[in-house]
Amino acid sequence: EVQLLESGGGLVQPGGSLRLSCAASGFTFSTSWMHWVRQAPGKGLVWVSRLNSDGSSTAYADSVKGRFTVSRDNAKNTLYLQMNSLRAEDTAVYYCTRGRGFSAYDQRFDPWGQGTLLTVSS
Amino acid sequence: QSVLTQPPSVSGAPGQRVTISCTGSSSNIGATYDVHWYQQLPGTAPKLLIYDNSNRPSGVPDRFSGSKSGTSASLAITGLQAEDEADYFCQSYDSSLSGYVFGTGTKVTVL
């Protein structure tokens, strides 16, 4: 069974840092592009970042560029999201998801993890 | 940040047909980038429902169908069932933003 399991969420003060992890199983992680998508409470979905299969190419939403860093360990089948300089508006459930498609432009997201909640508040 | 516009809500009686529109622009849907649709049941993670405009992943009932024309796309649900009550999101790529964009989301209510 294809599965993604996020962890690492929690309560952080504004300006703080946190690292999310996403453990993958049931598919060939090392050949899969991966993404992070977030959803603020009661709001819609917002794409956050993308990482290609070997970790050599990244992309970020403007709202997190320079503050978030996506990385992966293919030996551990794990995706990471390092989040620095956190703001209240970063409060959301963070989902990791596998990207499927032939290029960077036709990525669809399937499957999704269950999500991990980040709350940024003093 | 949503650059794809959807109606906030649609509703229908069991067995009826409902459609959800997703309106974009020349930098996303109109630029021939594919549109994908997701279903999010209450309290759960999103699930891929339609990919590449009109294709259904294995296991998705054929009551769900997608189409795309110009700068817009649509999701249709025929034979509406109570279990279809959920939020639905469209998604594509945007060349101006150099990233992926989602629709504003539509809540489907079964009367």
Side-chain angles (χ1 to χ4, degrees), chain A residues 11-89:
Chain A
L11 175 63
V12 179
Q13 291 190 338
S17 299
L18 202 66
R19 188 178 81 160
L20 305 181
S21 299
C22 171
S25 60
F27 66 99
T28 308
F29 180 75
S30 61
T31 61
S32 299
W33 287 35
M34 298 297 296
H35 301 256
W36 288 98
V37 175
R38 69 185 182 184
Q39 185 172 34
K43 302 297 185 181
L45 302 170
V46 177
W47 172 78
V48 172
S49 72
R50 181 209 79 208
L51 183 60
N52 70 342
S53 57
D54 66 7
S56 62
S57 174
T58 60
Y60 299 92
D62 286 345
S63 58
V64 306
K65 203 171 293 183
R67 301 187 299 123
F68 290 13
T69 302
V70 62
S71 62
R72 64 194 297 160
D73 185 336
N74 284 344
K76 295 182 177 180
N77 288 349
T78 303
L79 178 73
Y80 303 101
L81 185 67
Q82 177 66 43
M83 304 180 293
N84 299 329
S85 303
L86 284 164
R87 307 165 180 168
E89 52 265 37

Side-chain angles (χ1 to χ4, degrees), chain B residues 43-108:
Chain B
T44 70
K47 167 192 164 187
L48 181 66
L49 195 66
I50 296 287
Y51 69 95
D52 294 352
N53 308 313
S54 59
N55 296 295
R56 284 186 310 276
S58 173
V60 173
D62 59 7
R63 302 185 292 103
F64 295 93
S65 63
S67 64
K68 172 188 161 184
S69 178
T71 59
S72 295
S74 290
L75 173 71
I77 310 174
T78 57
L80 195 62
Q81 299 183 4
E83 66 209 51
D84 299 333
E85 276 209 346
D87 293 323
Y88 294 82
F89 297 90
C90 58
Q91 176 249 316
S92 187
Y93 181 84
D94 191 284
S95 57
S96 295
L97 297 173
S98 297
Y100 309 89
V101 290
F102 286 94
T104 48
T106 299
K107 181 175 182 58
V108 170

